[in-house]
Amino acid sequence: MTILLAGCGDLGTEAGLRFAAAGHRVVGWRRSPDKLPPAIEGAAANLSTAELPPVPADTTAVVIAVAADASTEEAYRSAYLDGVAHVLDALDRDRVTPERVLFVSSTAVYGDAGGGWVDESTTPEPGGFSGRIMREAEEHLLKRLHGTGTTPVVLRLGGIYGPGRTRLIDQVRTGAAVIPDQPRYTNRIHRDDAAGAIVHLCTMNAVPSPAYLGVDNDPAELGDVLRFLAAELGLDVPPTDSLGSGRGGNKRCSNALLRDTGFSFKYPSFREGYRDILAGVGVRHP
């Protein structure tokens, strides 16, 4: 198979290395292709513009894994909505029809569920511009690929943590962490499991569903995560205070559909994942 990674930062690079290890040819588009490892054929590309490199004629699957430059509506629109449109335009331009195009989206499309469960059958109701723009990009992908012979797949990831992604650890270490006085559920996935899910959905024999939730098995309360980290670090439990719904809203995301495809998690909960991070396992790709 030939895999095109449209957007090849930390997550895309990890997925690319896994595709390559499985024997596939991997082409990675990013603004600084010189930073890519030798296993990935780099090409300079800015997905927010229409001038993209040639698409390999034998491309089997395309992964669109982009990141906004800033937490603004304009930056999100440029990265996600324009990025998806420009990649699909490049496929049309070069008359390439891959078997699958996977777009890395976010559980932010669901907004706040008041601590309730959500899954792929839940109607997305974004609470902010990030989720709204992600949802627009999802819909654009599904509309553009309808009837083309290419299967669109949306992977809605929870909060990614992993090597170099240590926001909660840093907050506990510096004393900035605060435990909410009301239960607030959080959903996360280790970078390595997110990359593994991308590879799995692009290469599995069965035709994938239109959308999957990429989260681990444990939609944990934020307080439980912070108390665990404090214990692992040998620090005092963070103080309790009144907080709003915070990052990502308050919801519990089910990964049952993803697991039903046969995918298994290396890090089924935050406990295994954070222990490896604290032990220095893994590196963040530049």
Side-chain angles (χ1 to χ4, degrees), residues 1 3 19 61-63 100 102 197-204:
M1 293 173 61
I3 310 295
F19 279 120
V62 178
V63 177
R100 295 169 192 174
L102 183 148
I198 288 170
V199 174
H200 176 73
L201 293 174
C202 285
T203 59
M204 69 181 189

Side-chain angles (χ1 to χ4, degrees), residues 5 15 62 67 79 89 96 106 113 120 134 139 149 157 164 183 236 247 252 256 263 283:
L5 298 170
V62 178
D89 288 345
V96 178
S106 166
E120 293 80 2
M134 291 278 196
E139 291 174 327
L157 296 179
D236 292 338
R247 291 168 60 108
R252 285 178 280 179
F263 181 74
V283 295

Side-chain angles (χ1 to χ4, degrees), residues 236-247:
D236 292 338
V237 174
T240 300
D241 201 353
S242 176
L243 294 174
S245 61
R247 291 168 60 108

Side-chain angles (χ1 to χ4, degrees), residues 68-91:
D69 292 334
S71 296
T72 65
E73 187 162 353
E74 181 182 11
Y76 267 71
R77 188 166 295 278
S78 176
Y80 297 101
L81 194 55
D82 294 347
V84 166
H86 292 151
V87 171
L88 297 180
D89 288 345
L91 292 175

Side-chain angles (χ1 to χ4, degrees), residues 1 6 37 102 122 136 161 165 167-168 178 181 194 221-222 248-249:
M1 293 173 61
L102 183 148
T122 305
E136 287 181 41
Y161 72 106
R165 298 175 184 257
R167 180 179 59 88
L168 288 184
V178 177
D181 63 353
E221 285 189 44
L222 177 58

Side-chain angles (χ1 to χ4, degrees), residues 3-256:
I3 310 295
L4 172 60
L5 298 170
C8 208
D10 178 44
L11 175 59
T13 298
E14 180 64 27
L17 290 172
R18 290 163 183 253
F19 279 120
H24 305 299
R25 178 193 178 198
V26 184
V27 177
W29 287 357
R30 63 178 285 172
R31 296 180 189 182
S32 48
D34 56 299
K35 294 182 179 179
L36 291 173
I40 301 175
E41 301 173 27
N46 179 353
L47 300 186
S48 65
T49 68
E51 287 72 40
L52 293 178
V55 178
D58 61 346
T59 297
T60 312
V62 178
V63 177
I64 305 174
V66 295
D69 292 334
S71 296
T72 65
E73 187 162 353
E74 181 182 11
Y76 267 71
R77 188 166 295 278
S78 176
Y80 297 101
L81 194 55
D82 294 347
V84 166
H86 292 151
V87 171
L88 297 180
D89 288 345
L91 292 175
D92 289 345
R93 177 199 67 198
D94 296 341
R95 296 182 173 84
V96 178
T97 305
E99 292 179 9
R100 295 169 192 174
V101 174
L102 183 148
F103 170 56
V104 177
S105 184
S106 166
T107 56
V109 300
Y110 294 110
D112 193 313
W117 284 93
V118 300
D119 61 18
E120 293 80 2
S121 68
T122 305
T123 301
E125 294 182 0
F129 71 82
S130 61
R132 187 179 73 253
I133 291 169
M134 291 278 196
R135 182 57 181 154
E136 287 181 41
E138 291 181 3
E139 291 174 327
H140 185 78
L141 179 81
L142 297 173
K143 182 179 179 180
R144 283 279 299 270
L145 293 180
H146 180 72
T148 64
T150 297
T151 300
V153 188
V154 170
L155 178 60
R156 296 168 177 157
L157 296 179
I160 303 174
Y161 72 106
R165 298 175 184 257
T166 56
R167 180 179 59 88
L168 288 184
I169 294 172
D170 297 340
Q171 287 180 358
V172 173
R173 276 188 168 138
T174 62
V178 177
I179 295 175
D181 63 353
Q182 298 294 320
R184 199 188 100 205
Y185 290 98
T186 58
N187 303 270
R188 59 184 50 76
I189 185 168
H190 192 285
R191 190 270 319 265
D192 291 0
D193 281 329
I198 288 170
V199 174
H200 176 73
L201 293 174
C202 285
T203 59
M204 69 181 189
N205 291 327
V207 177
S209 297
Y212 292 91
L213 286 179
V215 295
D216 67 21
N217 299 345
D218 187 3
E221 285 189 44
L222 177 58
D224 289 343
V225 180
L226 295 175
R227 281 185 283 267
F228 169 83
L229 290 175
E232 292 291 309
L233 293 165
L235 299 173
D236 292 338
V237 174
T240 300
D241 201 353
S242 176
L243 294 174
S245 61
R247 291 168 60 108
N250 182 19
K251 55 183 174 284
R252 285 178 280 179
C253 296
S254 169
N255 66 8

